Amino acid sequence: MKSKYLHFILPGLVALQLQAQAQQATQAKFIDPANMDLSVKPGDDFYEYASGTWIKNNPVPAKETRWGSFNVLRDFNINAVKNIIEEAAANKNAPAGSAEKRVGDFYTAAMDSLTIEKLGYTPIEKDLARVSSIKDLSGILNEAAVLRTSGLASPFFSFYVGQDRKNVNNMVPQLSQGGTSLPDRDYYLKSDARSLKIQEAYKTYMTKLFRLTGSTEAEAKRNADIVFNFEKTLAASQLSRVELRDPHKTYNKFAISEFSKSTPTFNWRSMLSKLRVNGQDTILVGVPSFFTALNGTLKQTPVNDLKVYLKWNVLKNSASYLSSPFVAAQFEYNQVLSGQRVQTPRWQRMSSLTDNSIGDLLGQLYVKTYFKPEAKARMQVLVENLRKAFEIRIKNLDWMSDVTKEKALAKLHAFRPKIGYPDKWKNYDGLDITSATFFQNVRNADTWAYNDMVGQLGKPVDRTRWGMTAPTVNAYYSPVMNEIVFPAGILQFPFFDPNADDAVNYGGIGAVIGHEMSHGFDDSGSQYDKDGSLRNWWTEDDLARFKEKTKALGEQFDQYTVLDTLHVNGKFTMGENIGDLGGLNAAYEAFKMTKQGQSNEKIDGFTPDQRFFLSWAQVWRGNILPETAAQFILTDPHSPGQYRTIGAPVNMDAWYEAFNVQPGDKLYKKPEERIRIW
């Protein structure tokens, strides 16, 4: 559930302490002309003008799938995180149960390659044997519950516990489509050369893993075909990612007994009990038609085929934690998807896994060293400045009535910012971690996380919870919480630097803050009111005008080409594009309230306004492998970096004035064609 709120892919996470030293050595200027291509007119290609030389000089390294200013900082940061974890692992005197002890033990076990190699696939032998012993469909469904509650796999469908979008003070069990392994349903349903290549790589991957666990070559290939065909059937019943963006379409509340009638293969009260959910009368179902189709598919599929499918779920979710042949097979498959040339170093993968598994323990260690109170204080000021700017912009909208403006302002004022790290850390009580059992540590952490999730049922909504860990390189807006969240890691150049001029900080972190605020008013977030409830607060005419404007923005992004015939999907990326457009406008409004924003004094040859837009542009500079770019078109709701660079500025009069963009320039849009939403 929380993944739908991860709205702004934010590059870079480095300690402010270390950053100042690093910047002195490597970054002479906050806006450096040496990174630009000044031979290009900004009105023809602002992306190349702002970052062309940097892009030419910084190809994608072999262990990466893309490389930009954020990746450089992320690389620096993962080393900082590594230092924290390795210090924890080396500290033999850390008290039992302490964050340092548990983080150190988790990482020590994860890096014990000798033990992991000796074990091979024995950590999952019992699971595979248990699946083999299943006799009937009832046994299949029981095992699906066992795999889910143990954190080992999530077969057939998606299940989670989250806030009721129309009654946000209640936590409810929720079901949605799922059960497939490829990154998007279209990979199963399309027959173009790129999709067919990925399908074959997927089948090869499955064949290898089945072979590694004892199947003959013929059996393994047959198993791969069984799994692929079963998942293809599930994919055909799934809604597209664009359709899933409609929060009303995916809000379907059922009495549990009634929902069971539409899917008689499932007794949902019994199934929910196996999923450790009891005492609930209703359930939210994202895509009811998917479950109707799944019901029929399960009845028609031989039990032995369903057993193969469950075994595959165990294998694919365990491969990266097993011995090197499993890890290698997984990487070979990922290479076809992403184009990545060499495997990410183990220490880096295990550092990330530590954060993903016990992030609040690692986060406590991280903020002690790398997050300073003055950074939070500065961020709080920036958030309030952006809120003021957004308020001014709402009041000045010429397309919205006063009635709707009043509701929009009420929602803006109700935004709750979270900055840095949680007020209350998860303590992971009951989670067993040792330095000797890597796979079991991962499984224990996954089981703990599942129990933590279902344990929210029947309790008041915990508004102190975070959807991300403190070291996470990201930020998000949650519509049901009506909150904007900025983990500690975002306070880093190119987003923020305490020594930078306001133009740089407002074009960076200011635009990030504005972006998250704008998500409360994008095509999806705007359907939630100030309390986070899925409830209309628009007049009919205002909503029609809003939709007309978003339609135009979608058409703008539809025109952008990524690879050969692949285009950006304007409807899929709509929320992020509105976030960028609204966020950059709000940041500019706030910047113009500063002393620098009201001056014309140049720094390094650039005016304040030019520096503001160049700061925005350098955030998105980068290179990306074609395979990854093609995958992101289907799976990433963000537009590619080069189009995020230009997509918002070409609709802002201030950008035209800053760079003297004139009719005839390639990016020029007539004033009446510039899209103005927030």
Side-chain angles (χ1 to χ4, degrees), residues 384-422:
E384 290 313 309
N385 288 349
L386 263 293
R387 199 194 305 252
K388 290 174 188 173
F390 218 107
E391 178 177 347
I392 291 170
R393 295 192 63 80
I394 290 174
K395 287 179 177 178
N396 290 336
L397 292 176
D398 60 4
W399 58 269
M400 181 181 280
S401 70
D402 289 342
V403 174
T404 306
K405 283 181 182 179
E406 184 179 347
K407 300 289 179 59
L409 290 170
K411 181 169 186 178
L412 176 69
H413 293 151
F415 277 165
R416 180 187 179 191
K418 292 179 177 177
I419 300 168
Y421 55 90

Side-chain angles (χ1 to χ4, degrees), residues 287-544:
V287 189
S289 59
F290 172 82
F291 287 89
T292 303
L294 174 62
N295 181 78
T297 300
L298 289 174
K299 288 196 297 185
Q300 296 163 11
T301 305
V303 169
N304 283 337
D305 288 2
L306 294 176
K307 287 161 67 171
V308 170
Y309 170 75
L310 289 183
K311 286 182 178 180
W312 169 242
N313 273 259
V314 172
L315 287 171
K316 72 175 182 180
N317 287 289
S318 304
S320 59
Y321 314 131
L322 300 175
S323 57
S324 53
F326 290 87
V327 176
Q330 184 184 59
F331 178 67
E332 288 170 11
Y333 161 63
N334 286 335
Q335 277 186 299
V336 178
L337 281 175
S338 69
Q340 184 176 342
R341 294 187 291 280
V342 302
Q343 175 70 284
T344 307
R346 184 172 186 86
W347 69 262
Q348 188 170 338
R349 288 180 281 128
M350 295 305 108
S351 295
S352 297
L353 179 64
T354 305
D355 186 34
N356 292 336
S357 301
I358 48 174
D360 271 23
L361 297 179
L362 176 61
Q364 292 174 54
L365 303 179
Y366 174 81
V367 299
K368 281 181 183 177
T369 306
Y370 298 124
F371 188 66
K372 301 304 176 186
E374 53 267 29
K376 184 169 185 175
R378 181 80 178 273
M379 187 70 171
Q380 288 169 329
V381 171
L382 286 166
V383 168
E384 290 313 309
N385 288 349
L386 263 293
R387 199 194 305 252
K388 290 174 188 173
F390 218 107
E391 178 177 347
I392 291 170
R393 295 192 63 80
I394 290 174
K395 287 179 177 178
N396 290 336
L397 292 176
D398 60 4
W399 58 269
M400 181 181 280
S401 70
D402 289 342
V403 174
T404 306
K405 283 181 182 179
E406 184 179 347
K407 300 289 179 59
L409 290 170
K411 181 169 186 178
L412 176 69
H413 293 151
F415 277 165
R416 180 187 179 191
K418 292 179 177 177
I419 300 168
Y421 55 90
D423 294 329
K424 183 174 66 177
W425 297 102
K426 293 179 185 176
N427 56 20
Y428 302 91
D429 282 347
L431 172 57
D432 185 32
I433 297 171
T434 79
S435 60
T437 57
F438 171 53
F439 189 90
Q440 194 61 47
N441 285 344
V442 174
R443 192 162 184 173
N444 289 350
D446 288 342
T447 302
W448 189 94
Y450 181 86
N451 290 334
D452 181 56
M453 177 184 72
V454 297
Q456 297 177 63
L457 288 168
K459 298 177 183 176
V461 172
D462 184 355
R463 297 185 179 274
T464 69
R465 280 180 173 259
W466 281 50
M468 294 179 180
T469 63
T472 300
V473 184
N474 214 325
Y476 69 95
Y477 168 75
S478 167
V480 288
M481 288 284 202
N482 198 25
E483 65 183 15
I484 49 177
V485 186
F486 307 96
I490 198 171
L491 297 181
Q492 167 58 36
F493 185 81
F495 300 103
F496 170 81
D497 188 282
N499 301 311
D501 52 300
D502 282 332
V504 169
N505 280 335
Y506 278 90
I509 195 69
V512 172
I513 297 167
H515 175 104
E516 299 309 334
M517 288 182 173
S518 297
H519 273 307
F521 304 99
D522 69 19
D523 60 316
S524 179
S526 62
Q527 299 183 62
Y528 296 80
D529 67 11
K530 68 181 181 65
D531 299 318
S533 295
L534 187 59
R535 185 183 299 122
N536 180 53
W537 47 272
W538 296 72
T539 66
E540 187 175 342
D541 289 344
D542 288 338
L543 186 58

